[in-house]
Amino acid sequence: MTIECPAPRHEEEVVLLGHGAGGRLSAELLSTLVLPAFGDRSGPLEDAALLPGHPELVVSTDSFVVSPLFFPGGDIGSLAVHGTINDLAMRGAWPLALSVALIIEEGLPLSELHSVLQSLGKAAHAAEVPVITGDTKVVGRGAVDKVFINTTGIGQRPGALYPSAALARPGDAVLLSGPIGLHGTTVLSTREGLGFESDIASDSQPLHRLVRALAPLGEHVHTLRDPTRGGLAASLNEIARDSSVAVEIEENALPVPASVASACDLLGLDPLIVANEGCLVAFVAPSAADEALAAMRSVPEGGKAVRIGDVLADGPGGGRVTLRTLVGARRVVDMPLGEQLPRIC
């Protein structure tokens, strides 16, 4: 009798929730599958792109699949508007118009859809950006979770700001416009019934007026990024990588609300990786740091702006982010691997 060893069985790789988290798995998916399908390209992956042949125009598209649809401080409708406006603003652009596409699950109560659309329209009106086109599709029960929204935004740069993830420089001051961790912990608590939402609310808000306040500083504003998926940790790592610089932030300067800190302690989360939807991180020339902080604090969206760190002139190699702890030690802040808080935007 002949005994043969069976051939090794290789299971096919599949998409994971972590591939949509904005961390290392997302970067891997982009580099190995998505970008090669569209041809060779180089340079940083920005929140929004310059329209070829029209560098004053900026375009961004985003999809929103948040669960639950409604949460303290916002809902999927207002979030879709704010998130797309903010992606345009991170390239220094003022929003001109939005498109909105809906994918709706059969059986969704019309009252819920009405509430989502009313909120979306109200958010667009408050931001002074019209919704000019869109699309609606309905799919069978279970094909999507209630409703998914895709928004595309067109913006125009005024000619003063040209921020990019690749333009951070040694010596830059790292500024943060407000508290971190509010959105992710609010959505998670609401979804799971943890009870924290009675003390916290999402920070979802448009940031284009905050960016406009920075416009007079012009070329002194090197980089802007809103730390959404993957939180502040992902945004800082992306900027450090694309600019080939080392970034150090101070733990005692980080604005983490007490309610967020408590929720993260209980759930074993790091506030640095929790998503935000209403704050931005800015890298500005050191000579303009105080003026930039004053400009940010002059508008409601940046009223709690703080300086959280610096780009190191000397130190570890480019692409590294470190945190100086309360006791004076340093630890590396890694790019998040995958999804710890799925379906938060």
Side-chain angles (χ1 to χ4, degrees), residues 63-151:
S63 297
F64 297 85
V65 297
V66 64
S67 175
L69 299 183
F70 304 92
F71 45 85
D75 57 76
I76 194 172
S78 59
L79 183 65
V81 172
H82 297 162
T84 304
I85 287 174
N86 293 347
D87 283 347
L88 296 172
M90 297 308 105
R91 298 305 306 275
W94 186 262
L96 299 178
L98 297 175
S99 76
V100 175
L102 306 173
I103 301 177
I104 307 166
E105 180 186 19
E106 177 190 17
L108 177 70
L110 288 177
S111 59
E112 287 192 42
L113 182 60
H114 177 267
S115 296
V116 168
L117 293 175
Q118 286 293 306
S119 178
L120 192 155
K122 182 178 179 181
H125 179 75
E128 302 177 280
V129 55
V131 176
I132 62 170
T133 189
D135 183 52
T136 302
K137 295 291 190 296
V138 177
V139 297
R141 296 174 187 266
V144 300
D145 186 0
K146 296 185 177 180
V147 61
F148 294 164
I149 300 178
N150 173 271
T151 48

Side-chain angles (χ1 to χ4, degrees), residues 21-24 26-27 30 44-47 165-166 168 223 225-245 247 283 319 321 333-336:
R24 280 183 281 169
S26 293
L30 287 171
L45 299 178
E46 306 278 8
D47 285 336
T223 303
R225 182 61 63 92
D226 59 330
T228 53
R229 292 179 304 169
L232 185 61
S235 292
L236 293 178
N237 272 279
E238 289 167 351
I239 294 167
R241 177 198 64 204
D242 292 338
S243 296
S244 298
V245 297
V247 178
F283 286 58
V321 179
V333 178
D334 286 320
M335 172 71 83

